[in-house]
């Protein structure tokens, strides 16, 4: 991680090269698929109603085909059709058959268009939502126009509006990490917190994206989180505000050791890290600390670029519908001196990609706590009306074929306390010749 990130609230997800990973800002509700109502509502009857029906069916088919062709788990058309039919039944239970596959769905929509054209927008909205949910993947979802605007804002301006948490799902919302500079971190939200209620509304029983939508609201407002933390229940008010996506920070620790801090894998992370390494080397650094703690991920491709700065050859393996393939470093390494990598339970997605790719490399050692364990790749496809569908298109694995998903990466040296990890890393680096 909507995520990324997505999710800011951030949604936790990695993205394929064509998409922005954003742990998104949860700035709007999925139940606001209003483009069906607003865009289609301009049609009235006759030819207009026919065009509206054609538009609805074309959009439904587009989402169906994307799910059938790209989702890593290869959902069946029967499952998607059943989900869409169930959505129509919620709107007009007396007009929709309980089964019959895609032909029955199209017949039901055409019948609804003839009898109640004014209900077509709401019916299509629910059908698409239920079809996507039928995949049974919490990270595959529809994004509305405000979500897509937030993604574009992050890409073009480097800013986000929200509370700044990257989220995962385990029957409730789980905080992967709070971004550097976010209001959630300032309020005391911690990686591993389980959000059980938002402004008094229970999260359990909702879907990942519907639960995340409860965190939305205008800049300057606040949200009250009820979290479970190691058996204790806490209430934490968090303001929503605009903040900058964390970039790459670099500095010298003494005369020979450089430190590079990556708080998030934004669209320039690879290039920024390369420049930081070159600048540190020019200042005499011959040892490096790479700090990936509380880095919830971001852009999958940027993660590969960063990993490729430190090692060549195979970085990891990716499982897609087409099978499992090796992913090679995009270029020759630029840093060949020793590296101590810092990770913790808030390191996820693209952060885990880098740690996993570097583990076992001569001259590189990983310190800290087991990482979060989020190893999926997502691709964002635009839809008509300014909306999009985010689909889990792959899972990444280590060079040995092992998956990190829901498992995490075990460091070479486990260090429970965060500050102590840096001390251990520096001690190891200083002991090298």
């Amino acid at each position: 991680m909507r995520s990324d990130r997505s999710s800011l609230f951030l949604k936790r997800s990695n993205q394929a090269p064509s998409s922005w990973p954003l742990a998104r800002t949860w700035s709007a509700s999925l139940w606001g698929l209003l483009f069906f109502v607003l865009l289609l509502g301009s049609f009235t009857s006759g030819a207009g109603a026919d065009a509206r029906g054609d538009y609805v069916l074309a959009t439904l088919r587009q989402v169906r085909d994307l799910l059938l062709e790209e989702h890593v788990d290869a959902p069946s058309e029967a499952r998607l059709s059943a989900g869409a039919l169930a959505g129509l039944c919620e709107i007009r239970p007396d007009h929709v058959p309980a089964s019959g596959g895609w032909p029955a769905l199209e017949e039901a929509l055409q019948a609804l268009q003839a009898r109640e054209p004014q209900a077509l927008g709401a019916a299509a909205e629910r059908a698409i939502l239920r079809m996507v949910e039928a995949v049974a993947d919490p990270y595959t979802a529809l994004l509305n126009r405000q979500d897509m605007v937030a993604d574009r804002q992050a890409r073009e301006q480097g800013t986000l509006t929200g509370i700044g948490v990257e989220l995962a799902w385990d029957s409730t919302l789980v905080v992967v990490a709070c971004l550097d500079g976010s209001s959630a971190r300032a309020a005391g939200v911690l990686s591993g917190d389980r959000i059980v209620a938002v402004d008094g509304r229970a999260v359990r029983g909702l879907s990942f994206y519907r639960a995340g939508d409860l965190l939305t609201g205008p800049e300057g407002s606040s949200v009250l989180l009820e979290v479970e933390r190691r058996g204790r229940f806490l209430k934490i008010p968090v303001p929503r505000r605009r903040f900058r996506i964390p970039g790459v920070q670099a500095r010298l620790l003494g005369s020979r050791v450089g430190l590079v801090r990556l708080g998030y894998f934004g669209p320039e992370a690879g290039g920024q890290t390369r420049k930081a390494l070159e600048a540190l080397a020019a200042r005499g650094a011959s040892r490096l600390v790479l700090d990936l703690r509380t880095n919830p991920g971001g852009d999958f491709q940027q993660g590969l670029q960063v990993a490729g700065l430190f090692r060549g050859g195979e970085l990891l393996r990716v499982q897609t519908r087409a099978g499992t393939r090796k992913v090679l470093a995009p270029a020759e390494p630029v840093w060949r001196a020793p590296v101590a990598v810092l990770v913790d339970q808030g390191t996820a997605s693209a952060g885990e990609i880098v740690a996993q790719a570097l583990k076992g490399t001569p001259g590189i050692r990983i310190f800290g706590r087991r990482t979060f364990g989020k190893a999926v790749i997502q691709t964002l496809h635009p839809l008509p009306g300014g909306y999009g569908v985010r689909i889990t298109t792959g899972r990444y694995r280590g060079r040995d074929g092992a998956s990190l998903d829901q498992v995490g990466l075990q460091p070479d040296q486990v260090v429970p306390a965060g500050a102590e990890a840096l001390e251990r890393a520096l001690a190891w680096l200083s002991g090298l010749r």
Side-chain angles (χ1 to χ4, degrees):
M1 62 266 217
R2 109 184 174 167
S3 148
D4 91 244
R5 353 170 89 36
S6 196
S7 116
L8 253 95
F9 92 65
L10 286 190
K11 265 181 184 171
R12 197 20 264 101
S13 60
N14 275 328
Q15 305 279 326
S18 61
S19 60
W20 170 246
L22 261 195
R24 35 161 291 179
T25 62
W26 290 108
S27 56
S29 166
L30 275 182
W31 291 104
L33 278 180
L34 296 180
F35 77 95
F36 283 113
V37 178
L38 297 177
L39 191 57
L40 302 183
S42 61
F43 295 105
T44 52
S45 60
D50 290 341
R52 175 167 56 181
D54 291 344
Y55 184 91
V56 166
L57 285 173
T59 304
L60 281 166
R61 292 189 191 108
Q62 180 182 1
V63 176
R64 176 200 62 183
D65 292 346
L66 286 170
L67 293 171
L68 289 174
E69 294 167 5
E70 296 196 7
H71 197 280
V72 66
D73 292 332
S76 68
E77 182 173 328
R79 181 195 294 183
L80 300 182
S81 299
L85 280 168
L88 290 184
C89 284
E90 293 175 11
I91 299 297
R92 289 293 182 271
D94 53 331
H95 293 168
V96 182
S99 62
W102 199 262
L105 173 68
E106 294 193 346
E107 290 176 9
L109 279 170
Q110 290 166 353
L112 182 63
Q113 172 187 329
R115 289 194 296 266
E116 299 180 72
Q118 73 280 3
L120 193 58
E125 170 190 329
R126 195 62 58 90
I128 291 180
L129 286 170
R130 292 292 180 253
M131 179 168 60
V132 172
E133 290 175 356
V135 179
D137 169 14
Y139 305 116
T140 290
L142 284 160
L143 307 185
N144 62 25
R145 284 183 288 184
Q146 287 176 282
D147 299 333
M148 298 292 281
V149 167
D151 280 357
R152 187 165 59 252
Q153 171 189 327
R155 287 196 311 270
E156 297 175 357
Q157 302 176 22
T159 62
L160 291 165
T161 301
I163 67 173
V165 294
E166 178 83 10
L167 300 174
W169 182 255
D170 178 17
S171 73
T172 191
L173 295 173
V174 181
V175 176
V176 176
C178 301
L179 290 192
D180 293 349
S182 66
S183 55
R185 175 171 291 187
V189 179
L190 300 179
S191 175
D193 283 350
R194 299 174 63 85
I195 300 176
V196 297
V198 179
D199 286 334
R201 180 173 179 182
V203 168
R204 189 173 294 275
L206 301 178
S207 68
F208 175 49
Y209 277 75
R210 287 188 64 195
D213 288 338
L214 300 178
L215 299 179
T216 64
E219 181 181 2
S221 62
S222 293
V223 61
L224 180 63
L225 306 181
E226 184 175 345
V227 306
E228 180 186 358
R229 180 184 299 167
R230 296 186 291 274
R232 298 173 56 216
F233 288 87
L234 308 171
K235 291 186 177 181
I236 306 175
V238 185
R240 303 179 179 99
R241 62 179 180 81
R242 177 171 292 199
F243 59 95
R244 295 203 65 81
I245 297 172
V248 176
Q249 300 175 339
R251 59 190 174 96
L252 280 175
L253 299 175
S255 60
R256 297 180 59 207
V257 180
L259 182 144
V260 172
R261 163 68 182 163
L262 277 83
Y264 189 73
F265 287 88
E268 303 297 330
Q272 290 175 357
T273 303
R274 184 187 184 101
K275 291 179 181 178
L277 294 176
E278 292 171 345
L280 289 171
R283 296 176 64 187
S286 59
R287 303 283 188 272
L288 183 75
V289 175
L290 179 63
D291 190 355
L292 300 177
R293 292 174 296 180
T294 65
N295 183 318
D299 191 280
F300 174 75
Q301 202 64 5
Q302 294 299 314
L304 296 179
Q305 287 188 28
V306 170
L309 296 173
F310 300 97
R311 68 162 290 148
E314 183 183 352
L315 298 177
L316 50 86
R317 299 180 184 183
V318 171
Q319 172 195 351
T320 66
R321 289 283 294 279
T324 300
R325 62 181 175 88
K326 296 180 180 180
V327 178
L328 304 180
E332 287 297 309
V334 299
W335 184 276
R336 298 181 184 272
V339 182
V341 182
L342 306 184
V343 299
D344 64 8
Q345 71 278 14
T347 306
S349 283
E352 288 175 301
I353 284 177
V354 174
Q356 172 68 38
L358 299 187
K359 188 171 184 179
T361 303
I364 298 179
R365 190 167 178 81
I366 300 175
F367 297 81
R369 300 173 63 180
R370 183 183 289 275
T371 61
F372 186 84
K374 181 68 168 55
V376 299
I377 302 165
Q378 295 184 296
T379 302
L380 179 62
H381 292 279
L383 293 176
Y387 285 70
V389 59
R390 179 171 283 151
I391 300 174
T392 300
T393 53
R395 294 188 177 91
Y396 60 82
R397 300 177 177 273
R399 292 185 298 277
D400 60 357
S403 174
L404 298 180
D405 202 35
Q406 301 182 29
V407 176
L409 176 72
Q410 182 77 352
D412 297 313
Q413 186 170 343
V414 177
V415 186
E420 192 175 334
L422 178 57
E423 296 174 5
R424 298 275 188 92
L426 291 174
W428 175 72
L429 288 171
S430 66
L432 297 175
R433 293 183 179 180

